[in-house]
Amino acid sequence: MQRAAWFPADEQVRKMRMYGLMMKNGIEEYDDFYQRSVKDPAWFWDEVVRDLKLQWDQPYSKVLDLSKGFAWPQWFVDGKMNVATNCLDRWADDPKVKDQLAIISEGDGGEVKQWTYHELRETVARFAQGLSELGVTFGDRVAIYLPMIAENVIAMLATARIGAIFTPCFSGYGAEAVATRLKDCEAKVLITADGFWRRGKVVKMKEEADRAADLSPSVEKVIIVQRTGREIPVHERDVKWEDVIHKEKTLSSVITDADTPFMIIYTSGTTGRPKGTVHVHAGFPIKAAFDAGYGMDLKQEDTLFWMTDMGWMMGPWMVFGALLNGSTMVLFEGTPDYPQPDRLWELVENHRISHMGISPTVIRTLMKFGETWVDKHDQSSLKAFGSTGEPWNPEPWFWLFDHVGKGKVPIWNYSGGTEVSGGILSSNLMKPIAPCSFNGPMPGMDAEVVDEHGKPIRGEVGELVMKHPWVGMTHGFWKDPERYKKAYWSRWEGTWVHGDWVHAEEEGYWYITGRSDDTLKIAGKRLGPAEMESVLVDHPRVLEAATIGVPDPIKGEVAVCFAVLKPGDSGDEVLVKELMDMIGDHLGKALRPSKIHVVSELPKTRNGKILRRVIKSAYTGQEAGDLSALENPKAVEEVRRENEAE
């Protein structure tokens, strides 16, 4: 049994919002609460929206209607609510809350801007009026291609306010990737910036936005935020941000149905075009608000920061998780180690961040600089770390827990997806937390681990599935319902197959070992890539690693590993043999990889997720599919050269 490293005090538990929700319903034991939440999900989500005190323009008559089947649930039937009203107006109209900070925005150069709930509501309402006067109406799509600045949030909420639909695009995308999304959703307006700052240098955006708009016949207007003040090309369709914000008029939220779409957020597909997941006013925001507010225990007096981009799910998740809970969010344009390796720790101190989301990859990058950079800054405001997007291995987990959190701050491990609106699995702050683990499914998430026949299993690796719909589940893919059903509902009747490979221990801790399509099957034994990667990164010279499976005529499939070494280390044959032996000792000789390649970097997204499918396609010479999320294309070429050199 994995030994827990963090234990909640009884006093802490009694102050948690999850505990308060349990007590309100007369349930004293968490496990009883969870079981009721999945046996009666309509009861559970009804209690959640009541406890969140959401404002409904028209009350719902029924919590859940499954008449169209599990793939197409309707939540809050007949209910009408607008997410912008619930994020802003109810707080801005409250004398006790209106002057509380809603947004703290820090640029790459350290400049800070702030918005109270009252100020943010007024700005959003004026920008909504400006969008309306530009001709944006109910149901129109507005693409947002901006850095992590407040205008990004303002544009999202203003679009939702008028009943239109926004599509957030990753700020690092090139023109073709943006155009793919613009064309798929037929965006009427594109909102962009002249550029943004990264490591003290200007990154151009307007030129990429222009190329994307040129490729997208539906785009009528391009709205430009002057972020850097640089000279940019100007076209007839261009409108300045400040000319859109109305000087005198504000626009109230239009009344929208609970299931009116407000966001299309794209996920990168393994093959073919990206998938446009459709999210509705009473879906994604409620799931995000519950997960942040009750799962991570975010309260109104707290400050939430997640190291992400608005084009990734965790960007909008942070917005709605913070604002629906009346909390403060921190937007950060910069990078974790610029201008010095203490940038994130300085951010925590300066803005008194209480809840901080960070990836294992970022921690592996920062830990090489040592604890001195952490100890320069006061981290006492921290109440919880959040982590999502990739599995942990022990060394960076303990470095964050011991050296940054001083053994007192829990690491809230969290995993779900863009199609989920948040988490399926998470750590539980009411229970002891073991390193790198989850405590199991979140309330309302009827998750199970099953074998190849769909039968529940424990103590071995299996597929993660959902046995019942939940609030926040995507309303399909934009204009492609068949692709959605094939992706998630085609394997077992009435069962959502998520695509994660999970090991659920008998004792209660769960571990994600990788995507099920990344899973290796060597000589008949299934193996998650994270299991082999964790062995590799335990070596003192290895910084990070990736494992893929390649066809083999004898074993069916063999493992090939890629290791990035710590700075200044170039590797040698002795090291490769040591790594081979370590894997054999830990996992068995039959599972030793066929090759271990030392590379300078691994293909990643900007938020640090290692793209194993890209590594595999480059190494085996296959079509890589959608590469729009890729941060470092040179890493792909290096992987390709490793295979060619054999």
Side-chain angles (χ1 to χ4, degrees), residues 488 496 539:
Y488 292 105
W496 169 289
H539 193 285

Side-chain angles (χ1 to χ4, degrees), residues 333-401:
E333 180 189 38
T335 49
D337 57 352
Y338 176 84
Q340 296 190 105
D342 61 344
R343 184 64 185 275
L344 286 189
W345 319 129
E346 182 181 54
L347 204 71
V348 171
E349 178 180 31
N350 290 347
H351 305 307
R352 305 300 295 164
I353 291 168
S354 59
H355 294 66
M356 180 184 192
I358 196 166
S359 71
T361 293
V362 170
I363 294 302
R364 283 192 287 266
T365 300
L366 295 178
M367 63 189 282
K368 68 186 179 185
F369 298 112
E371 295 87 60
T372 304
W373 292 102
V374 180
D375 295 338
K376 288 174 62 177
H377 301 282
D378 178 8
Q379 307 292 292
S380 63
S381 62
L382 287 169
K383 297 180 181 179
F385 296 113
S387 168
T388 194
E390 58 175 316
W392 281 95
N393 53 284
E395 187 182 6
W397 193 97
F398 275 109
W399 189 86
L400 178 64
F401 182 70

